[in-house]
Amino acid sequence: MKKTLIAMAAAAVAFTGLSAPASADGERFVLVSHAPDSDSWWNTIKNAISVAGDQMGVEVEYRNPPTGDLADMARIIEQASASNPDGIIATIADFDVLSGPLSNAVAKGIPVITINSGTQEQSKQLGALMHVGQPEYDAGKGAGEKAKAAGVTNFLCVNHYITNPASVERCQGYADALGVELGGQMIDSGQDPQEIKSKVMAYLQGNPDTNGVLTLGPTSAHPTLAALDEMGKSGAVHFGTFDLSGEIAEAIKSDVIAFAIDQQPYLQGYLPVVILTNLARYGVVPGNSINSGPGFVTKANIALVEKYAGEYR
Amino acid sequence: MADTQATAAPQKDERVREMSAARKALIRPELGAICGAILVFMFFVGIAGDSGMFAPEGIINWGTVAAQFAIIAVGACLLMIAGEFDLSVGSMIGFSGVIIALMTVQWGFPAWFGILVAFALALSIGALNGYLVIKTGLPSFIVTLAFLYILRGLTIFISIATTRKTIIGGVREAAEGDPLAWLFGGKVFSGLFVWLADLGIVGKFVAGPKAGQPVVEGIPMLMIWAIVLIVIGHILLTRTRFGNWIFASGGDAQAARYVGVPVNRVKILMFMFSAFCATIFATCQVMEFGSAAADRGLLKEFEAIISVVIGGALLTGGYGSVIGAALGALIFGVVQQGLFFAGVESSLFRVFLGVILLLAVILNTYIRRMITGER
């Protein structure tokens, strides 16, 4: 009993020590994403907000629902606005779920900038200052147009985050650009690399005429690379992907991946912090939303990108 | 000799051990949870007292989260006392929500009808869970684990097959003015909060169309449901014959059968109650957020079980209390949200959550062992 109490007291002390933020005087912003813990892509955004936080002398907290449950994300936004920060940065992963909490935060007088998922129209509707992101359907369509030019007729869209509507929009845009029905060509791959690899291999074995692959991020791109390698199809299938990582950069250099669509997440994390800080200090704010992407990374411009893949790109 | 014994008997039955009122209070299963709740509150008042956590808006925030846990914990608690688990709770939340959204948005039925259909389906799946456990004699862990996958897969399948999306929106509009929907998504006592806002106790919105309204609109129906379920569950368990049957079924099912307890019926009913609670959770969520998604309720089954275990129930059945489970839900909610208010770095957040949960359960078990002398 006594030992347990001592342990609890020790834990309490440890918490208090860790919870005291370093910069006490700076403004405090909260970034709420929809990404589950397992999603490594968000690391770039975490790096971006820590750089921006240091440069601006402000404190930026990163929050996310551990399982990716968007109803939990809505609670986190409510919680963020209850703690009265100087600004909230959030993704619009699902407008229905998040419009209530986000517009309430706006109504409370908290400046809100939306990033990543969602559209500029939705952002305006919420009363947010602006949206910093990449229009998903258009990005998918852009990828599809490149694939069509390369002669793709049957494709596979490996969707590792099927419960996010934006992910389906990417596949839809790609399919529309090719003029192909989406249907079974989009697979729900799950998040586990081994499962993704097996599913991709099974699909390609079952549909040998597939000549184009689209993956929606490193989570699905890496196992797909492994699957193609194992089947001896590396380079034989037109392979496009969203987002960047070290492996993806390597694959672009060795002609396995034709292009990566970079939505420049760094800007999605960095710009809102800078903009909110300037708004809080000097009352200045850009009047329009900002498109952080799509930017296509191909063999031609890979050298520039490669150095920072996974960290700042 | 016989005479004296007969006259003495009514005052003092040798089969009943004397126990002081204090000791009686101490062996209650929820004692650990009460201590835990007090410690957790003291802790957060200490480190996050001025962060907005204990302002009305903050209280509603963690209160809502705790109420969510409580709703599924009540079902899990009664089922666990009856000696079984339900791991399909989380999937059931996603499933029921999608059914309601499909019925109302996709097929245009009135919301009340969609809600009733969802409850009917959930109750039958709960009954099926129970029936399979009883009939096959398999552990409920396995049977409900199967349903965890069956329901989740089915949910994703039917939502993609019918709408090509995994999130079905527009339920709020479809449920506008519905006679049943407000019971789940509404907020009550809004007049009280307008009054409190005028007094300056609750803040007001300063911008947009809501300007001038209080930041806390009312008590969400989710909390009312949690309280109603806790009260009903507690009375059922401690004041009725059926409550005794639940304890008996979970304690020693065979012995219970010998004395005429309908163990099978009790267990199946408890599986149905667990599904019922999950559907209440789902309906509240769908009505509040206006959409249903195939991945709602992920891992909620474990959160329900954790709440119940913090609340002092035994994993082996036959022992526990609804009040304890409710306190467990409160601790869970306060810790989960409180660490945010305290500004704890988010990746460490779950480490702390785990540590606090572990400490609470250890404390709980320790107190119980010390007091009951159980080994």
Side-chain angles (χ1 to χ4, degrees):
Chain A
M1 175 79 187
K2 202 186 253 170
K3 262 190 200 155
T4 321
L5 285 178
I6 290 169
M8 283 196 103
V13 172
F15 283 131
T16 344
L18 277 168
S19 65
S23 51
D25 292 322
E27 289 81 359
R28 189 175 70 91
F29 305 120
V30 185
L31 189 153
V32 188
S33 89
H34 57 264
D37 285 346
S38 50
D39 196 333
S40 60
W41 184 86
W42 285 82
N43 190 40
T44 306
I45 294 216
K46 287 185 198 168
N47 287 338
I49 59 177
S50 103
V51 169
D54 285 348
Q55 286 179 356
M56 297 287 119
V58 297
E59 188 197 324
V60 194
E61 292 171 13
Y62 176 86
R63 303 286 151 186
N64 66 316
T67 56
D69 186 330
L70 297 181
D72 284 350
M73 182 186 171
R75 296 267 176 258
I76 296 175
I77 291 173
E78 285 173 354
Q79 193 181 39
S81 73
S83 72
N84 294 315
D86 298 294
I88 293 178
I89 306 160
T91 69
I92 321 176
D94 178 9
F95 187 76
D96 280 325
V97 173
L98 303 175
S99 60
L102 281 175
S103 53
N104 280 351
V106 171
K108 251 190 98 178
I110 301 172
V112 172
I113 291 183
T114 59
I115 59 167
N116 191 256
S117 314
T119 63
Q120 299 179 357
E121 293 73 49
Q122 288 174 336
S123 179
K124 261 192 206 123
Q125 223 175 313
L126 293 173
L129 294 172
M130 68 178 67
H131 185 75
V132 183
Q134 163 179 274
E136 300 295 351
Y137 178 84
D138 294 346
K141 199 160 186 180
E145 279 157 5
K146 276 189 182 294
K148 192 172 187 179
V152 171
T153 49
N154 286 297
F155 72 97
L156 163 67
C157 186
V158 189
N159 191 338
H160 66 273
Y161 192 20
I162 196 141
T163 49
N164 185 344
S167 71
V168 183
E169 268 176 42
R170 289 173 172 180
C171 296
Q172 189 68 56
Y174 186 86
D176 288 354
L178 287 176
V180 181
E181 169 92 11
L182 182 56
Q185 309 216 37
M186 175 177 75
I187 58 167
D188 169 13
S189 68
Q191 303 247 347
D192 178 75
Q194 188 59 50
E195 269 177 46
I196 296 172
K197 185 181 159 195
S198 310
K199 280 181 184 162
V200 168
M201 288 174 73
Y203 184 91
L204 292 178
Q205 271 152 10
N207 303 274
D209 50 351
T210 302
N211 52 8
V213 176
L214 182 72
T215 59
L216 303 188
T219 310
S220 45
H222 297 171
T224 304
L225 281 172
L228 290 177
D229 186 44
E230 205 164 310
M231 296 178 78
K233 288 195 171 188
S234 292
V237 175
H238 183 265
F239 188 166
T241 184
F242 278 82
D243 306 334
L244 278 165
S245 69
E247 284 91 332
I248 291 175
E250 269 318 303
I252 290 175
K253 281 202 294 188
S254 56
D255 287 320
V256 176
I257 292 183
F259 61 82
I261 295 168
D262 187 12
Q263 57 170 304
Q264 305 182 99
Y266 182 81
L267 291 177
Q268 296 176 8
Y270 182 83
L271 289 178
V273 174
V274 174
I275 290 166
L276 286 172
T277 310
N278 281 297
L279 176 65
R281 288 183 189 165
Y282 314 117
V284 290
V285 63
N288 268 315
S289 291
I290 298 170
N291 278 354
S292 69
F296 287 90
V297 177
T298 58
K299 206 173 178 183
N301 61 357
I302 185 71
L304 204 73
V305 176
E306 202 193 353
K307 194 173 161 198
Y308 295 119
E311 270 179 275
Y312 302 106
R313 286 298 298 254
Chain B
M1 282 298 260
D3 284 348
T4 53
Q5 229 176 11
T7 48
Q11 279 87 33
K12 200 165 179 144
D13 188 334
E14 58 180 356
R15 294 167 301 179
V16 177
R17 194 157 52 120
E18 278 295 305
M19 207 188 272
S20 71
R23 193 175 162 82
K24 230 178 215 165
L26 282 173
I27 62 165
R28 300 181 67 85
E30 59 265 29
L31 180 73
I34 293 172
C35 297
I38 293 171
L39 277 176
V40 161
F41 271 99
M42 279 166 45
F43 175 65
F44 282 109
V45 168
I47 68 163
D50 54 354
S51 64
M53 180 175 176
F54 294 99
E57 205 190 348
I59 294 174
I60 289 286
N61 182 262
W62 53 254
T64 309
V65 173
Q68 278 187 334
F69 289 138
I71 286 175
I72 42 175
V74 170
C77 175
L78 292 183
L79 182 64
M80 205 186 285
I81 295 174
E84 306 290 345
F85 283 109
D86 188 353
L87 295 183
S88 66
V89 171
S91 301
M92 186 74 82
I93 291 170
F95 177 77
S96 301
V98 165
I99 293 292
I100 293 171
L102 276 182
M103 297 291 293
T104 53
V105 179
Q106 196 68 15
W107 295 320
F109 289 103
W112 61 266
F113 184 72
I115 294 171
L116 291 182
V117 169
F119 271 101
L121 277 174
L123 286 174
S124 26
I125 294 167
L128 180 63
N129 260 331
Y131 179 80
L132 287 174
V133 168
I134 300 291
K135 271 292 153 190
T136 58
L138 288 169
S140 51
F141 186 89
I142 300 299
V143 173
T144 57
L145 187 61
F147 273 90
L148 182 157
Y149 286 104
I150 295 172
L151 287 177
R152 182 71 63 197
L154 211 56
T155 308
I156 295 180
F157 175 78
I158 54 176
S159 64
I160 293 213
T162 49
T163 65
R164 310 191 62 79
K165 286 184 290 194
T166 55
I167 299 185
I168 307 167
V171 184
R172 207 183 288 123
E173 292 72 28
E176 200 97 44
D178 188 85
L180 202 56
W182 72 272
L183 257 180
F184 296 93
K187 290 198 167 124
V188 288
F189 305 127
S190 43
L192 174 71
F193 285 96
V194 171
W195 182 67
L196 285 174
D198 287 337
L199 290 181
I201 298 170
V202 174
K204 285 183 180 181
F205 286 126
V206 295
K210 282 190 179 174
Q213 291 175 21
V215 291
V216 179
E217 289 162 73
I219 306 281
M221 282 305 290
L222 190 76
M223 283 194 187
I224 307 292
W225 273 107
I227 293 166
V228 166
L229 283 174
I230 292 165
V231 170
I232 292 177
H234 181 70
I235 292 174
L236 178 76
L237 194 62
T238 56
R239 298 274 181 274
T240 65
R241 187 172 62 162
F242 192 81
N244 284 334
W245 287 357
I246 297 176
F247 278 114
S249 305
D252 186 336
Q254 205 48 49
R257 283 194 185 95
Y258 289 145
V259 295
V261 174
V263 172
N264 294 356
R265 203 170 83 205
V266 169
K267 289 194 173 186
I268 291 176
L269 277 171
M270 287 303 101
F271 272 108
M272 292 171 72
F273 184 62
S274 163
F276 175 79
C277 291
T279 308
I280 287 184
F281 182 113
T283 315
C284 288
Q285 200 172 56
V286 169
M287 292 306 155
E288 180 181 350
F289 294 122
S291 76
D295 64 350
R296 293 281 156 74
L298 219 56
L299 295 184
K300 289 279 183 285
E301 56 278 343
F302 292 109
E303 292 170 353
I305 290 173
I306 290 168
S307 300
V308 176
V309 173
I310 297 179
L314 283 186
L315 287 162
T316 45
Y319 184 83
S321 91
V322 173
I323 301 291
L327 285 168
L330 182 66
I331 293 177
F332 202 174
V334 169
V335 170
Q336 181 173 317
Q337 304 300 93
L339 285 176
F340 168 81
F341 283 105
V344 174
E345 159 62 45
S346 103
S347 42
L348 294 174
F349 160 90
R350 271 167 287 283
V351 176
F352 297 155
L353 189 63
V355 169
I356 287 211
L357 291 180
L358 198 56
L359 286 177
V361 179
I362 291 171
L363 183 70
N364 204 333
T365 316
Y366 202 86
I367 291 177
R368 194 180 62 236
R369 281 191 189 155
M370 194 177 67
I371 289 163
T372 59
E374 161 200 337
R375 288 286 150 232

